[in-house]
Amino acid sequence: MTSKTSGDAAERFAEQFLLARKLKVVARNYRCRFGEIDLIMQDGDTLVFVEVRMRVSSNFGGAGGSIDVTKQRRLVATAQHYLAGLRETPPCRFDAILMNEMDNASVEWIKDAFSA
């Protein structure tokens, strides 16, 4: 399985995980010149930008450690690009879905993982 294939599978798994928790899909793989956001979802009145990370090894900080300051800046810039296309800016947050395998027991859902 290639990293692209496993990444796509992890994103689909994360989407199903969040749908089961009553979030609604707004967009998948939103891309612009600044980067990509894996999932954009609605949680009540809040727009949620979701970064999905799957790592089979905990080397180099594991899944959470891979969302460094540079990645956070790219996510914020991409989210700002997305929000610029909306009439009004809703309440927003950045969540992270971290996992070592595609199993609900291994999913770590970090709400409001970092601030813009």
Side-chain angles (χ1 to χ4, degrees), residues 22-113:
K22 308 298 183 210
L23 278 74
K24 295 182 173 95
V25 176
V26 174
R28 294 174 188 89
N29 303 110
Y30 177 79
R31 290 180 179 88
C32 71
R33 64 188 175 119
F34 303 112
E36 177 184 2
I37 295 176
D38 297 325
L39 295 166
I40 302 175
M41 303 194 78
Q42 194 76 39
D43 185 9
D45 293 335
T46 303
L47 193 62
V48 183
F49 300 99
V50 182
E51 178 66 11
V52 178
R53 291 295 174 133
M54 184 164 135
R55 294 285 189 269
V56 293
S57 168
S58 62
N59 294 343
F60 309 108
S66 68
I67 307 174
D68 60 12
V69 173
T70 301
K71 178 63 176 176
Q72 289 178 29
R73 284 187 191 126
R74 274 188 254 147
L75 289 167
V76 168
T78 305
Q80 289 171 333
H81 185 271
Y82 179 84
L83 292 169
L86 301 180
R87 289 182 194 204
E88 294 182 28
T89 302
C92 301
R93 72 172 191 251
F94 291 90
D95 287 5
I97 296 288
L98 311 175
M99 59 186 126
N100 297 322
E101 57 188 79
M102 286 182 266
D103 173 323
N104 281 345
S106 81
V107 174
E108 182 179 2
W109 178 15
I110 302 173
K111 292 183 180 180
D112 206 14

